[in-house]
Amino acid sequence: MIKASAPRGAWWAEARAMLLLAWPMALTNLSQMALLATDSAYLGHVSTEALAAVTLSSTVFWTMLAPGFGLSLATAALLAQERGGRIGHVRGMRRTHRAGVWGAVLAAVPGMVVMWNGGTVLRALGQDPALADAAQDFMRCVLWGIPFFGLYLNLRGFMAAMERPGPPLVIGLLAVPLNALIGWVLVFGNLGAPAMGVRGAGIAGAVADAFMFLALAVFVMRDRRLRRYRLFGRIWRLDPSRLGRVVALGLPIAAQMLLEIGLFSAVGLFMGAFGAHAVAAHAIALQIASTTFAVPLGLAQAATARVGLAIGAGRAREARRAGWTAIALSAVFMGPMAALMLLAPGALASIFLDPAAPGAAETAALAATLLLFAGLFQLSDGMQVVGAGALRGLQDTRVPMLIAAAGYWALGLTAALGLAFPAGLGPPGIWAGLVVGLAGVAGAMTWRWSRLSGRLPGRSPGQDGLTGAPAAAPIPG
Protein backbone atom coordinates (compact mmCIF):
# COMPACT_ATOMS: atom_id res chain seq x y z
CA MET A 1 0.00 0.00 0.00
CA ILE A 2 1.03 3.66 -0.41
CA LYS A 3 2.70 4.85 2.76
CA ALA A 4 0.69 7.73 4.16
CA SER A 5 3.67 8.86 6.20
CA ALA A 6 5.71 9.73 3.11
CA PRO A 7 6.28 13.51 2.84
CA ARG A 8 3.85 15.14 0.43
CA GLY A 9 6.73 16.98 -1.23
CA ALA A 10 8.41 13.66 -2.04
CA TRP A 11 5.31 12.49 -3.92
CA TRP A 12 5.08 15.74 -5.89
CA ALA A 13 8.80 15.52 -6.69
CA GLU A 14 8.36 11.96 -7.93
CA ALA A 15 5.34 12.96 -10.02
CA ARG A 16 7.38 15.74 -11.62
CA ALA A 17 10.35 13.43 -12.30
CA MET A 18 8.03 10.74 -13.68
CA LEU A 19 6.28 13.18 -16.01
CA LEU A 20 9.57 14.65 -17.26
CA LEU A 21 10.64 11.15 -18.27
CA ALA A 22 7.24 9.82 -19.34
CA TRP A 23 5.81 12.58 -21.51
CA PRO A 24 8.55 12.41 -24.19
CA MET A 25 8.28 8.61 -24.14
CA ALA A 26 4.50 8.84 -24.48
CA LEU A 27 4.84 11.25 -27.38
CA THR A 28 7.38 8.90 -28.94
CA ASN A 29 4.81 6.10 -28.65
CA LEU A 30 2.21 8.39 -30.20
CA SER A 31 4.55 9.11 -33.07
CA GLN A 32 4.85 5.36 -33.69
CA MET A 33 1.07 5.03 -33.54
CA ALA A 34 0.87 7.89 -36.02
CA LEU A 35 2.80 5.80 -38.54
CA LEU A 36 0.06 3.15 -38.58
CA ALA A 37 -2.66 5.79 -38.33
CA THR A 38 -1.29 7.44 -41.47
CA ASP A 39 -1.34 4.13 -43.32
CA SER A 40 -4.91 3.47 -42.15
CA ALA A 41 -6.05 6.96 -43.15
CA TYR A 42 -4.48 6.67 -46.61
CA LEU A 43 -5.81 3.19 -47.30
CA GLY A 44 -9.23 4.04 -45.89
CA HIS A 45 -9.48 6.55 -48.73
CA VAL A 46 -8.42 3.91 -51.24
CA SER A 47 -11.07 1.33 -50.30
CA THR A 48 -12.58 -0.49 -47.35
CA GLU A 49 -10.88 -3.66 -48.59
CA ALA A 50 -7.44 -1.99 -48.54
CA LEU A 51 -8.02 -0.82 -44.97
CA ALA A 52 -9.17 -4.30 -43.96
CA ALA A 53 -6.06 -5.84 -45.56
CA VAL A 54 -3.64 -3.62 -43.67
CA THR A 55 -5.58 -4.33 -40.46
CA LEU A 56 -5.10 -8.05 -40.92
CA SER A 57 -1.43 -7.40 -41.68
CA SER A 58 -1.03 -5.36 -38.52
CA THR A 59 -2.29 -8.19 -36.34
CA VAL A 60 0.41 -10.48 -37.74
CA PHE A 61 3.04 -7.72 -37.69
CA TRP A 62 2.63 -6.90 -33.99
CA THR A 63 2.48 -10.57 -33.07
CA MET A 64 5.80 -11.20 -34.81
CA LEU A 65 7.29 -8.08 -33.23
CA ALA A 66 6.51 -9.20 -29.66
CA PRO A 67 9.64 -11.33 -29.04
CA GLY A 68 12.00 -8.51 -29.98
CA PHE A 69 9.87 -6.02 -28.06
CA GLY A 70 10.02 -8.19 -24.94
CA LEU A 71 13.79 -8.55 -25.11
CA SER A 72 14.21 -4.79 -25.55
CA LEU A 73 12.05 -4.10 -22.49
CA ALA A 74 14.16 -6.55 -20.48
CA THR A 75 17.27 -4.79 -21.72
CA ALA A 76 15.83 -1.44 -20.60
CA ALA A 77 15.11 -2.79 -17.10
CA LEU A 78 18.65 -4.17 -16.75
CA LEU A 79 20.20 -0.95 -18.04
CA ALA A 80 18.27 1.10 -15.46
CA GLN A 81 19.38 -1.08 -12.55
CA GLU A 82 22.98 -1.00 -13.75
CA ARG A 83 23.02 2.77 -13.97
CA GLY A 84 21.35 3.02 -10.55
CA GLY A 85 24.07 0.84 -9.05
CA ARG A 86 26.79 3.10 -10.50
CA ILE A 87 29.69 0.71 -9.76
CA GLY A 88 31.02 -0.53 -13.10
CA HIS A 89 27.90 0.70 -14.82
CA VAL A 90 29.56 1.97 -18.03
CA ARG A 91 31.00 -1.40 -18.99
CA GLY A 92 27.93 -3.25 -17.71
CA MET A 93 25.54 -1.09 -19.72
CA ARG A 94 27.64 -1.58 -22.84
CA ARG A 95 27.56 -5.37 -22.40
CA THR A 96 23.81 -5.37 -21.77
CA HIS A 97 23.10 -3.20 -24.80
CA ARG A 98 25.25 -5.48 -26.94
CA ALA A 99 23.26 -8.48 -25.70
CA GLY A 100 20.06 -6.59 -26.52
CA VAL A 101 21.29 -6.01 -30.07
CA TRP A 102 21.95 -9.72 -30.55
CA GLY A 103 18.56 -10.51 -29.07
CA ALA A 104 16.76 -8.04 -31.34
CA VAL A 105 18.38 -9.39 -34.50
CA LEU A 106 17.88 -13.06 -33.62
CA ALA A 107 14.27 -12.46 -32.58
CA ALA A 108 13.50 -10.66 -35.84
CA VAL A 109 14.37 -13.57 -38.16
CA PRO A 110 11.45 -15.95 -37.39
CA GLY A 111 8.96 -13.10 -37.57
CA MET A 112 10.26 -12.01 -40.95
CA VAL A 113 9.90 -15.56 -42.29
CA VAL A 114 6.31 -15.79 -41.05
CA MET A 115 5.41 -12.40 -42.53
CA TRP A 116 6.92 -13.31 -45.90
CA ASN A 117 4.39 -16.14 -45.95
CA GLY A 118 1.67 -14.07 -44.29
CA GLY A 119 -0.92 -14.70 -46.97
CA THR A 120 -0.68 -18.46 -46.47
CA VAL A 121 -1.00 -17.97 -42.70
CA LEU A 122 -4.11 -15.82 -43.04
CA ARG A 123 -5.79 -18.17 -45.51
CA ALA A 124 -5.11 -21.07 -43.11
CA LEU A 125 -6.88 -19.04 -40.43
CA GLY A 126 -9.96 -18.78 -42.60
CA GLN A 127 -9.54 -15.26 -43.95
CA ASP A 128 -10.87 -14.17 -47.33
CA PRO A 129 -8.26 -15.11 -49.99
CA ALA A 130 -8.38 -11.69 -51.67
CA LEU A 131 -7.79 -9.89 -48.35
CA ALA A 132 -5.05 -12.39 -47.44
CA ASP A 133 -3.22 -11.72 -50.72
CA ALA A 134 -3.42 -7.94 -50.24
CA ALA A 135 -2.23 -8.32 -46.65
CA GLN A 136 0.75 -10.37 -47.83
CA ASP A 137 1.70 -7.63 -50.27
CA PHE A 138 1.85 -5.18 -47.35
CA MET A 139 3.73 -7.57 -45.05
CA ARG A 140 6.41 -8.44 -47.60
CA CYS A 141 7.30 -4.76 -47.76
CA VAL A 142 7.00 -3.71 -44.11
CA LEU A 143 8.84 -6.74 -42.67
CA TRP A 144 12.26 -5.28 -43.57
CA GLY A 145 11.75 -2.68 -40.85
CA ILE A 146 11.42 -5.27 -38.04
CA PRO A 147 15.13 -5.61 -37.13
CA PHE A 148 15.61 -1.84 -37.31
CA PHE A 149 12.65 -1.30 -34.99
CA GLY A 150 14.08 -3.77 -32.46
CA LEU A 151 17.45 -2.02 -32.51
CA TYR A 152 15.73 1.34 -32.09
CA LEU A 153 13.86 0.04 -29.04
CA ASN A 154 17.15 -1.05 -27.47
CA LEU A 155 18.62 2.41 -27.92
CA ARG A 156 15.45 4.00 -26.58
CA GLY A 157 15.73 1.82 -23.47
CA PHE A 158 19.30 3.03 -23.00
CA MET A 159 18.18 6.64 -23.33
CA ALA A 160 15.42 6.01 -20.75
CA ALA A 161 17.98 4.60 -18.31
CA MET A 162 20.08 7.74 -18.90
CA GLU A 163 16.90 9.80 -18.27
CA ARG A 164 17.24 11.49 -21.66
CA PRO A 165 14.03 10.72 -23.54
CA GLY A 166 14.15 13.85 -25.70
CA PRO A 167 16.27 12.62 -28.65
CA PRO A 168 14.12 9.51 -29.31
CA LEU A 169 11.09 11.80 -29.24
CA VAL A 170 12.52 14.21 -31.81
CA ILE A 171 13.53 11.34 -34.08
CA GLY A 172 10.15 9.63 -33.68
CA LEU A 173 8.37 12.86 -34.58
CA LEU A 174 10.55 13.31 -37.66
CA ALA A 175 9.66 9.78 -38.77
CA VAL A 176 5.96 10.70 -38.96
CA PRO A 177 6.19 13.23 -41.84
CA LEU A 178 8.79 11.03 -43.52
CA ASN A 179 6.38 8.08 -43.49
CA ALA A 180 3.49 10.33 -44.55
CA LEU A 181 5.45 11.76 -47.48
CA ILE A 182 6.66 8.39 -48.76
CA GLY A 183 3.20 6.91 -48.28
CA TRP A 184 1.53 9.80 -50.10
CA VAL A 185 3.86 9.28 -53.04
CA LEU A 186 3.71 5.49 -53.20
CA VAL A 187 0.15 4.71 -52.08
CA PHE A 188 -1.57 7.17 -54.45
CA GLY A 189 1.11 7.39 -57.16
CA ASN A 190 1.98 11.08 -56.74
CA LEU A 191 5.04 12.89 -58.15
CA GLY A 192 5.19 10.51 -61.08
CA ALA A 193 5.50 7.34 -58.97
CA PRO A 194 3.27 4.35 -59.72
CA ALA A 195 0.27 3.92 -57.40
CA MET A 196 1.25 0.95 -55.23
CA GLY A 197 -1.60 0.89 -52.70
CA VAL A 198 -0.86 -1.38 -49.74
CA ARG A 199 2.68 -2.07 -50.99
CA GLY A 200 3.47 1.63 -50.86
CA ALA A 201 2.29 1.86 -47.26
CA GLY A 202 4.50 -1.11 -46.33
CA ILE A 203 7.59 0.43 -47.95
CA ALA A 204 6.96 3.73 -46.16
CA GLY A 205 6.74 1.94 -42.79
CA ALA A 206 9.97 0.01 -43.31
CA VAL A 207 11.87 3.15 -44.32
CA ALA A 208 10.56 5.01 -41.25
CA ASP A 209 11.73 2.20 -38.93
CA ALA A 210 15.20 2.19 -40.48
CA PHE A 211 15.41 5.96 -40.20
CA MET A 212 14.54 5.93 -36.47
CA PHE A 213 17.30 3.47 -35.60
CA LEU A 214 19.99 5.01 -37.79
CA ALA A 215 19.26 8.55 -36.63
CA LEU A 216 19.30 7.61 -32.94
CA ALA A 217 22.46 5.53 -33.36
CA VAL A 218 24.25 8.48 -34.96
CA PHE A 219 23.12 10.73 -32.11
CA VAL A 220 24.36 8.33 -29.41
CA MET A 221 27.73 7.90 -31.10
CA ARG A 222 28.25 11.66 -31.49
CA ASP A 223 26.87 12.99 -28.21
CA ARG A 224 29.65 14.07 -25.86
CA ARG A 225 28.13 12.49 -22.74
CA LEU A 226 26.95 9.27 -24.37
CA ARG A 227 29.73 8.27 -26.72
CA ARG A 228 31.93 7.18 -23.80
CA TYR A 229 29.64 4.16 -23.41
CA ARG A 230 30.78 2.94 -26.87
CA LEU A 231 27.52 1.03 -27.29
CA PHE A 232 28.49 -0.34 -30.68
CA GLY A 233 32.05 -1.23 -29.74
CA ARG A 234 32.83 -4.85 -30.71
CA ILE A 235 29.17 -5.31 -31.46
CA TRP A 236 29.98 -8.58 -33.25
CA ARG A 237 31.19 -10.19 -30.02
CA LEU A 238 28.57 -12.53 -28.53
CA ASP A 239 28.30 -12.43 -24.73
CA PRO A 240 26.40 -15.64 -23.87
CA SER A 241 26.07 -14.93 -20.14
CA ARG A 242 24.66 -11.44 -20.59
CA LEU A 243 22.45 -12.54 -23.48
CA GLY A 244 21.18 -15.29 -21.19
CA ARG A 245 20.18 -12.68 -18.58
CA VAL A 246 18.34 -10.65 -21.19
CA VAL A 247 16.57 -13.73 -22.54
CA ALA A 248 15.65 -15.06 -19.07
CA LEU A 249 14.06 -11.75 -18.15
CA GLY A 250 12.75 -10.93 -21.62
CA LEU A 251 11.03 -14.17 -22.64
CA PRO A 252 8.26 -13.85 -20.02
CA ILE A 253 7.79 -10.22 -21.11
CA ALA A 254 7.61 -11.34 -24.73
CA ALA A 255 5.14 -14.07 -23.78
CA GLN A 256 3.01 -11.54 -21.90
CA MET A 257 3.03 -9.24 -24.91
CA LEU A 258 2.19 -12.13 -27.22
CA LEU A 259 -0.75 -12.97 -24.99
CA GLU A 260 -2.05 -9.40 -25.18
CA ILE A 261 -1.26 -8.86 -28.84
CA GLY A 262 -2.52 -12.35 -29.59
CA LEU A 263 -5.82 -11.52 -27.92
CA PHE A 264 -6.35 -8.46 -30.11
CA SER A 265 -5.04 -10.36 -33.13
CA ALA A 266 -7.50 -13.17 -32.49
CA VAL A 267 -10.25 -10.62 -32.07
CA GLY A 268 -9.31 -9.10 -35.43
CA LEU A 269 -9.38 -12.51 -37.06
CA PHE A 270 -12.78 -13.34 -35.54
CA MET A 271 -14.02 -10.03 -36.88
CA GLY A 272 -13.32 -11.43 -40.32
CA ALA A 273 -16.26 -13.77 -39.81
CA PHE A 274 -18.57 -10.73 -39.89
CA GLY A 275 -17.18 -9.29 -43.15
CA ALA A 276 -14.93 -6.47 -44.34
CA HIS A 277 -17.03 -3.73 -42.72
CA ALA A 278 -16.61 -5.34 -39.30
CA VAL A 279 -12.85 -5.69 -39.80
CA ALA A 280 -12.56 -2.04 -40.86
CA ALA A 281 -14.70 -0.85 -37.93
CA HIS A 282 -12.55 -2.89 -35.56
CA ALA A 283 -9.45 -1.30 -37.08
CA ILE A 284 -10.77 2.20 -36.50
CA ALA A 285 -11.82 1.56 -32.90
CA LEU A 286 -8.56 -0.24 -32.15
CA GLN A 287 -6.50 2.56 -33.68
CA ILE A 288 -8.18 5.16 -31.47
CA ALA A 289 -7.82 2.99 -28.35
CA SER A 290 -4.16 2.33 -29.24
CA THR A 291 -3.53 6.06 -29.55
CA THR A 292 -4.72 6.75 -26.00
CA PHE A 293 -2.85 3.64 -24.82
CA ALA A 294 0.43 5.23 -25.94
CA VAL A 295 0.37 7.55 -22.91
CA PRO A 296 0.13 4.91 -20.14
CA LEU A 297 2.61 2.86 -22.17
CA GLY A 298 5.02 5.79 -21.85
CA LEU A 299 4.30 5.92 -18.12
CA ALA A 300 4.99 2.18 -17.92
CA GLN A 301 8.34 2.62 -19.64
CA ALA A 302 9.18 5.51 -17.34
CA ALA A 303 8.11 3.41 -14.33
CA THR A 304 10.47 0.62 -15.39
CA ALA A 305 13.33 3.11 -15.53
CA ARG A 306 12.47 4.97 -12.30
CA VAL A 307 11.83 1.80 -10.29
CA GLY A 308 14.94 0.14 -11.73
CA LEU A 309 17.17 3.13 -10.95
CA ALA A 310 15.90 3.19 -7.36
CA ILE A 311 16.31 -0.56 -6.88
CA GLY A 312 19.82 -0.46 -8.34
CA ALA A 313 20.72 2.24 -5.84
CA GLY A 314 19.14 0.31 -2.93
CA ARG A 315 16.33 2.85 -2.33
CA ALA A 316 13.23 0.69 -1.83
CA ARG A 317 11.00 3.53 -0.61
CA GLU A 318 11.70 5.55 -3.76
CA ALA A 319 10.97 2.49 -5.90
CA ARG A 320 7.56 2.06 -4.26
CA ARG A 321 6.79 5.74 -4.68
CA ALA A 322 7.75 5.65 -8.36
CA GLY A 323 5.43 2.73 -9.16
CA TRP A 324 2.39 4.12 -7.35
CA THR A 325 2.93 7.55 -8.89
CA ALA A 326 2.94 6.08 -12.40
CA ILE A 327 -0.28 4.14 -11.71
CA ALA A 328 -2.00 7.27 -10.38
CA LEU A 329 -0.89 9.38 -13.34
CA SER A 330 -2.23 6.75 -15.73
CA ALA A 331 -5.66 6.94 -14.09
CA VAL A 332 -5.61 10.75 -14.28
CA PHE A 333 -5.06 10.60 -18.04
CA MET A 334 -7.25 7.66 -19.00
CA GLY A 335 -10.34 8.91 -17.14
CA PRO A 336 -10.94 11.85 -19.53
CA MET A 337 -10.09 9.63 -22.52
CA ALA A 338 -12.80 7.20 -21.44
CA ALA A 339 -15.28 10.06 -21.18
CA LEU A 340 -14.39 11.25 -24.69
CA MET A 341 -15.00 7.84 -26.23
CA LEU A 342 -18.28 7.41 -24.39
CA LEU A 343 -19.59 10.87 -25.29
CA ALA A 344 -18.40 11.32 -28.90
CA PRO A 345 -17.79 7.93 -30.52
CA GLY A 346 -19.31 8.87 -33.87
CA ALA A 347 -17.16 11.97 -34.33
CA LEU A 348 -14.01 9.97 -33.54
CA ALA A 349 -14.90 7.16 -35.96
CA SER A 350 -15.60 9.56 -38.85
CA ILE A 351 -11.99 10.82 -38.86
CA PHE A 352 -10.82 7.63 -40.58
CA LEU A 353 -13.41 7.38 -43.35
CA ASP A 354 -14.30 9.19 -46.54
CA PRO A 355 -18.10 9.62 -46.36
CA ALA A 356 -18.34 9.06 -50.12
CA ALA A 357 -16.46 5.74 -50.02
CA PRO A 358 -18.52 2.57 -50.52
CA GLY A 359 -19.70 1.13 -47.18
CA ALA A 360 -18.45 4.10 -45.16
CA ALA A 361 -21.73 4.74 -43.32
CA GLU A 362 -22.09 1.14 -42.17
CA THR A 363 -18.45 0.97 -41.08
CA ALA A 364 -18.67 4.27 -39.17
CA ALA A 365 -21.82 3.20 -37.29
CA LEU A 366 -20.25 -0.07 -36.14
CA ALA A 367 -16.97 1.64 -35.22
CA ALA A 368 -18.88 4.11 -33.03
CA THR A 369 -20.52 1.21 -31.20
CA LEU A 370 -17.17 -0.49 -30.60
CA LEU A 371 -15.72 2.76 -29.27
CA LEU A 372 -18.29 2.72 -26.47
CA PHE A 373 -16.71 -0.50 -25.23
CA ALA A 374 -13.21 0.96 -25.71
CA GLY A 375 -14.25 3.78 -23.40
CA LEU A 376 -15.24 1.25 -20.75
CA PHE A 377 -11.81 -0.42 -20.66
CA GLN A 378 -9.62 2.71 -20.78
CA LEU A 379 -8.87 2.83 -17.04
CA SER A 380 -8.21 -0.90 -16.85
CA ASP A 381 -5.94 -0.84 -19.91
CA GLY A 382 -3.85 1.98 -18.47
CA MET A 383 -3.52 0.43 -15.02
CA GLN A 384 -2.52 -3.01 -16.27
CA VAL A 385 0.28 -1.77 -18.53
CA VAL A 386 1.72 0.60 -15.90
CA GLY A 387 1.52 -2.11 -13.24
CA ALA A 388 3.45 -4.46 -15.54
CA GLY A 389 6.02 -1.73 -16.26
CA ALA A 390 6.62 -1.09 -12.55
CA LEU A 391 7.01 -4.83 -11.94
CA ARG A 392 9.60 -5.01 -14.72
CA GLY A 393 11.64 -2.48 -12.74
CA LEU A 394 11.74 -5.13 -10.00
CA GLN A 395 12.67 -7.76 -12.63
CA ASP A 396 9.39 -9.54 -11.86
CA THR A 397 8.12 -10.92 -15.16
CA ARG A 398 6.99 -14.53 -14.72
CA VAL A 399 3.91 -13.96 -12.57
CA PRO A 400 2.71 -11.03 -14.75
CA MET A 401 2.96 -13.42 -17.69
CA LEU A 402 0.67 -15.90 -15.89
CA ILE A 403 -1.72 -13.08 -14.98
CA ALA A 404 -1.89 -12.11 -18.64
CA ALA A 405 -2.57 -15.70 -19.70
CA ALA A 406 -5.45 -16.06 -17.26
CA GLY A 407 -6.93 -12.61 -17.79
CA TYR A 408 -6.61 -12.18 -21.53
CA TRP A 409 -7.36 -15.70 -22.71
CA ALA A 410 -9.13 -17.72 -20.03
CA LEU A 411 -11.32 -14.77 -19.04
CA GLY A 412 -11.31 -12.21 -21.86
CA LEU A 413 -11.36 -14.37 -24.98
CA THR A 414 -13.82 -16.84 -23.48
CA ALA A 415 -16.20 -14.00 -22.69
CA ALA A 416 -15.67 -12.43 -26.13
CA LEU A 417 -16.48 -15.61 -28.04
CA GLY A 418 -19.42 -16.46 -25.83
CA LEU A 419 -20.98 -13.03 -26.22
CA ALA A 420 -20.26 -12.73 -29.94
CA PHE A 421 -21.43 -16.12 -31.18
CA PRO A 422 -23.68 -18.14 -28.84
CA ALA A 423 -25.21 -14.97 -27.36
CA GLY A 424 -25.56 -13.49 -30.85
CA LEU A 425 -24.13 -10.03 -30.06
CA GLY A 426 -21.64 -10.10 -32.96
CA PRO A 427 -18.75 -7.59 -33.03
CA PRO A 428 -19.98 -5.63 -29.96
CA GLY A 429 -19.94 -8.87 -28.00
CA ILE A 430 -16.29 -9.42 -28.88
CA TRP A 431 -15.38 -5.99 -27.52
CA ALA A 432 -17.46 -6.56 -24.39
CA GLY A 433 -15.23 -9.57 -23.73
CA LEU A 434 -12.19 -7.31 -23.96
CA VAL A 435 -13.66 -5.14 -21.21
CA VAL A 436 -13.96 -8.18 -18.95
CA GLY A 437 -10.45 -9.46 -19.64
CA LEU A 438 -8.65 -6.14 -19.23
CA ALA A 439 -10.45 -5.43 -15.95
CA GLY A 440 -9.27 -8.76 -14.55
CA VAL A 441 -5.66 -8.20 -15.61
CA ALA A 442 -5.63 -4.64 -14.23
CA GLY A 443 -6.83 -5.77 -10.83
CA ALA A 444 -4.31 -8.61 -10.62
CA MET A 445 -1.34 -6.48 -11.79
CA THR A 446 -2.12 -3.76 -9.25
CA TRP A 447 -2.43 -6.35 -6.50
CA ARG A 448 0.91 -7.89 -7.51
CA TRP A 449 2.65 -4.52 -7.44
CA SER A 450 1.14 -3.69 -4.04
CA ARG A 451 2.30 -7.01 -2.61
CA LEU A 452 5.87 -6.95 -3.92
CA SER A 453 6.59 -3.26 -3.47
CA GLY A 454 5.35 -3.41 0.12
CA ARG A 455 7.87 -6.16 0.92
CA LEU A 456 10.95 -4.76 -0.82
CA PRO A 457 14.12 -5.09 1.26
CA GLY A 458 16.73 -2.36 1.27
CA ARG A 459 20.06 -2.97 -0.44
CA SER A 460 23.33 -1.17 -0.47
CA PRO A 461 24.03 1.19 -3.37
CA GLY A 462 26.18 -0.54 -5.96
CA GLN A 463 24.38 -3.89 -5.77
CA ASP A 464 22.59 -3.59 -9.07
CA GLY A 465 21.72 -7.20 -9.51
CA LEU A 466 24.58 -7.80 -11.94
CA THR A 467 27.64 -6.55 -10.10
CA GLY A 468 26.30 -7.51 -6.65
CA ALA A 469 23.55 -9.82 -5.47
CA PRO A 470 21.08 -10.88 -8.16
CA ALA A 471 18.34 -8.26 -8.35
CA ALA A 472 15.54 -10.75 -8.71
CA ALA A 473 16.59 -12.88 -5.75
CA PRO A 474 15.57 -10.55 -2.87
CA ILE A 475 12.11 -9.86 -4.28
CA PRO A 476 9.64 -11.89 -2.22
CA GLY A 477 7.31 -13.83 -4.47
Side-chain angles (χ1 to χ4, degrees):
M1 295 178 62
I2 300 176
K3 301 296 183 180
S5 58
R8 182 177 300 178
W11 288 97
W12 282 113
E14 178 59 42
R16 180 178 182 275
M18 184 69 68
L19 286 172
L20 286 174
L21 181 59
W23 78 261
M25 300 183 78
L27 288 177
T28 304
N29 293 332
L30 284 170
S31 71
Q32 292 165 6
M33 300 293 180
L35 300 179
L36 181 57
T38 302
D39 294 339
S40 299
Y42 282 165
L43 295 175
H45 285 78
V46 172
S47 69
T48 300
E49 288 71 21
L51 178 59
V54 79
T55 301
L56 291 174
S57 302
S58 298
T59 62
V60 179
F61 176 80
W62 287 108
T63 301
M64 295 300 103
L65 198 64
F69 217 133
L71 294 180
S72 71
L73 291 173
T75 302
L78 293 170
L79 288 169
Q81 285 205 8
E82 285 168 340
R83 182 166 183 255
R86 293 293 179 182
I87 298 175
H89 80 284
V90 172
R91 183 171 180 270
M93 291 179 75
R94 179 167 60 249
R95 289 179 63 197
T96 296
H97 176 264
R98 183 190 304 153
V101 168
W102 277 87
V105 173
L106 293 175
V109 175
M112 295 174 73
V113 172
V114 171
M115 289 185 66
W116 185 262
N117 299 283
T120 302
V121 172
L122 291 173
R123 282 191 294 273
L125 293 172
Q127 297 303 302
D128 179 83
L131 288 180
D133 290 340
Q136 179 171 280
D137 289 341
F138 176 82
M139 285 187 279
R140 286 189 172 183
C141 295
V142 78
L143 66 86
W144 302 106
I146 290 180
F148 291 108
F149 188 66
L151 295 172
Y152 167 76
L153 290 175
N154 275 320
L155 282 180
R156 197 176 71 166
F158 168 76
M159 297 297 287
M162 299 301 296
E163 298 182 280
R164 293 187 61 184
L169 168 60
V170 172
I171 291 169
L173 292 176
L174 289 175
V176 175
L178 175 65
N179 175 74
L181 176 61
I182 297 175
W184 178 75
V185 171
L186 297 181
V187 171
F188 300 112
N190 291 305
L191 301 180
M196 301 177 67
V198 294
R199 290 190 184 92
I203 293 171
V207 172
D209 289 338
F211 164 77
M212 288 190 295
F213 164 65
L214 294 173
L216 190 54
V218 170
F219 175 83
V220 169
M221 289 188 291
R222 294 180 63 87
D223 183 83
R224 180 176 57 84
R225 287 178 291 175
L226 299 178
R227 62 190 178 197
R228 71 188 182 102
Y229 288 86
R230 295 188 294 111
L231 292 183
F232 296 97
R234 298 182 179 180
I235 200 68
W236 60 86
R237 177 178 294 180
L238 178 64
D239 187 336
S241 64
R242 192 59 60 102
L243 179 59
R245 291 182 184 273
V246 170
V247 171
L249 184 62
L251 283 183
I253 300 174
Q256 180 185 338
M257 294 187 67
L258 278 172
L259 289 166
E260 182 174 5
I261 294 171
L263 172 65
F264 283 93
S265 299
V267 165
L269 294 173
F270 287 124
M271 284 290 179
F274 299 100
H277 294 300
V279 174
H282 169 74
I284 292 169
L286 185 59
Q287 182 59 56
I288 294 171
S290 298
T291 301
T292 61
F293 180 75
V295 174
L297 179 59
L299 285 165
Q301 292 160 340
T304 298
R306 295 285 300 168
V307 171
L309 287 167
I311 291 297
R315 297 190 291 265
R317 181 178 299 177
E318 293 182 15
R320 287 192 291 271
R321 189 181 301 134
W324 283 117
T325 299
I327 291 171
L329 289 172
S330 174
V332 168
F333 174 80
M334 292 299 264
M337 295 301 101
L340 179 61
M341 292 184 192
L342 292 171
L343 295 175
L348 293 173
S350 64
I351 297 173
F352 291 86
L353 291 167
D354 183 351
E362 181 181 346
T363 300
L366 181 54
T369 301
L370 299 183
L371 279 171
L372 294 175
F373 292 97
L376 294 177
F377 68 58
Q378 288 297 286
L379 282 172
S380 297
D381 207 14
M383 292 181 68
Q384 63 88 15
V385 72
V386 173
L391 289 168
R392 280 195 290 271
L394 302 180
Q395 296 191 23
D396 178 54
T397 60
R398 290 183 180 86
V399 172
M401 175 189 67
L402 297 176
I403 291 172
Y408 294 143
W409 288 83
L411 183 61
L413 187 61
T414 300
L417 294 179
L419 292 170
F421 295 102
L425 297 181
I430 290 179
W431 276 64
L434 296 180
V435 174
V436 174
L438 287 169
V441 174
M445 288 292 187
T446 305
W447 170 83
R448 177 72 175 173
W449 167 254
S450 177
R451 183 172 184 268
L452 291 194
S453 65
R455 298 170 59 186
L456 277 174
R459 289 191 290 151
S460 301
Q463 291 184 323
D464 62 353
L466 295 171
T467 59
I475 299 174

